[in-house]
Amino acid sequence: MKHCPKCNRPYGDHETFCGIDGGKLVSDAAPTSDAPPAPPPMNTPTRTEAPRVASAPAATDAIERIACEWCYAQNQKTALSCRACGAPLDIRNLVSESGWREAPRIRDMTEIHFGLSTCQVEGEIVPVAEINLGQGDSIFFEHHVLLWKDDHTPMSVMPLQGGVKRALAGMPFVISVAHGPGRIAFSRDATGELVVLPLHPGMELDVREHAFLLASHHISYSYVRIKGLRNILFGGQGMFMDRFVTSNQPGLLLLHGYGNVFERVLQAGESIILEPGAFLYKDSSVTMNIESQKLTTGFFGGTGMNLARMTGPGRIGIQSMYVHHNTD
């Protein structure tokens, strides 16, 4: 086994570089001390050319890495898709003139790696996430998104606080956990895209209700209340949002977006106004406030629109289609 000396992420013996930060992996049995090697004996001739020649291939390999444009993970130069998020590495970001970039279309049967586990994305119209859980790894999910699992894959329930409030807000109050080793698969009962979001240590992400598909066990799960959403998102929906937080370990989060998914990065103080049904996810640093847009001219002068003002800094994700969910 090998591990990354920066993030301590474990890898197999066949891996060379960390898929998150690009650092060179070291063997678990190898010393990690940064102390310089002992000098040669006095009677041994020294040559400076040999060390330079020997280190040249490693330096070249480190330079010739491919950075994923979606999640910024480092990949080996021969890779066709990102090992951390599955985004194609031979296709550049597609960005509109207003700054929205399309979420990458993950190719059928693409494999994504996290911990000792893999996730394979299958299908395109109603995509499926098939997980091969490694020993010691686990994932949690809303129980109704389960598609199938191996008979021997153990499961449990995650204890949650505020179950009554979550139920009244239309959010799931039962979160299931699957433990490795074993295989298990998930999908939403609608067309759309799977959005794969590797979360680096110290990240916080807020996600709208019924968009969360699964998350790895290194991610903490809770919910946050957004004031002002009670009356505009179909009778109470959207009053709470899922919050996902990483501490000192990276994690993997999979969301389902209806239609197509787009992302934009807001600078500090920059604002954009969304139709609330389009909102999919945001960094916790992005504030969300409700504004009423009055229509005071014409035949419909007495009507108005309730919109969501998003203010940076941070990422926001939107979906091109909204599906109303009744309380589960």
Side-chain angles (χ1 to χ4, degrees):
M1 294 292 293
K2 295 182 179 179
H3 70 277
C4 174
K6 296 181 180 179
C7 65
N8 207 33
R9 187 183 179 91
Y11 288 91
D13 291 330
H14 63 284
E15 301 289 350
T16 306
F17 295 94
C18 177
I20 298 298
D21 53 38
K24 184 146 187 192
L25 303 179
V26 297
S27 174
D28 290 343
T32 58
S33 173
D34 295 330
M42 295 299 295
N43 59 351
T44 303
T46 58
R47 298 180 60 185
T48 58
E49 295 81 9
R52 285 201 299 268
V53 173
S55 62
T60 303
D61 290 343
I63 293 174
E64 294 183 359
R65 305 289 284 169
I66 302 177
C68 173
E69 294 190 353
W70 175 252
C71 73
Y72 309 110
Q74 299 290 316
N75 296 270
Q76 294 186 356
K77 61 183 179 181
T78 57
L80 298 178
S81 60
C82 178
R83 62 174 287 119
C85 74
L89 297 175
D90 56 349
I91 300 177
R92 298 187 62 84
N93 272 338
L94 300 177
V95 185
S96 69
E97 292 184 359
S98 58
W100 291 97
R101 65 169 180 167
E102 295 183 19
R105 293 184 176 273
I106 302 176
R107 296 188 178 104
D108 195 12
M109 299 298 177
T110 295
E111 278 196 356
I112 300 160
H113 299 258
F114 64 101
L116 299 178
S117 307
T118 58
C119 169
Q120 190 172 50
V121 178
E122 305 166 357
E124 297 177 352
I125 299 177
V126 183
V128 174
E130 181 179 322
I131 311 296
N132 183 9
L133 284 170
Q135 182 68 44
D137 284 350
S138 61
I139 54 174
F140 58 91
F141 54 93
E142 298 180 11
H143 67 282
H144 57 273
V145 301
L146 174 66
L147 186 63
W148 61 262
K149 78 177 190 73
D150 283 345
D151 181 58
H152 65 270
T153 303
M155 292 181 57
S156 62
V157 175
M158 175 186 292
L160 293 176
Q161 299 292 328
V164 175
K165 290 182 178 180
R166 293 174 61 87
L168 293 177
M171 296 182 68
F173 54 91
V174 176
I175 298 296
S176 303
V177 183
H179 306 269
R183 292 181 179 270
I184 188 168
F186 309 91
S187 71
R188 287 274 180 187
D189 295 330
T191 59
E193 292 185 329
L194 286 187
V195 185
V196 182
L197 297 171
L199 299 187
H200 304 299
M203 294 184 66
E204 294 186 7
L205 200 74
D206 296 332
V207 178
R208 76 167 308 124
E209 77 284 356
H210 302 293
F212 160 51
L213 191 69
L214 65 93
S216 63
H217 69 281
H218 288 123
I219 299 177
S220 299
Y221 175 71
S222 61
Y223 62 92
V224 60
R225 179 179 179 180
I226 303 297
K227 296 181 179 180
L229 289 179
R230 175 192 291 271
N231 297 322
I232 67 173
L233 287 182
F234 301 97
Q237 296 268 345
M239 180 177 168
F240 293 93
M241 290 193 300
D242 292 322
R243 172 162 287 185
F244 301 91
V245 182
T246 55
S247 55
N248 59 350
Q249 292 284 338
L252 184 70
L253 175 65
L254 266 67
L255 309 179
H256 180 275
Y258 294 101
N260 296 107
V261 176
F262 304 87
E263 183 183 273
R264 181 169 169 177
V265 178
L266 298 178
Q267 302 303 315
E270 182 182 5
S271 294
I272 190 170
I273 296 178
L274 299 179
E275 199 286 320
F279 167 69
L280 183 61
Y281 64 89
K282 69 179 183 68
D283 286 328
S284 62
S285 57
V286 176
T287 60
M288 184 176 186
N289 295 296
I290 302 306
E291 295 186 358
S292 180
Q293 181 78 49
K294 299 296 184 182
L295 303 177
T296 58
T297 60
F299 181 75
F300 298 102
T303 62
M305 299 173 62
N306 291 307
L307 302 172
R309 177 180 291 274
M310 319 292 289
T311 304
R315 298 172 298 168
I316 57 172
I318 62 172
Q319 55 188 0
S320 61
M321 171 180 154
Y322 177 63
V323 175
H324 170 55
H325 295 273
N326 294 318
T327 300
D328 293 328

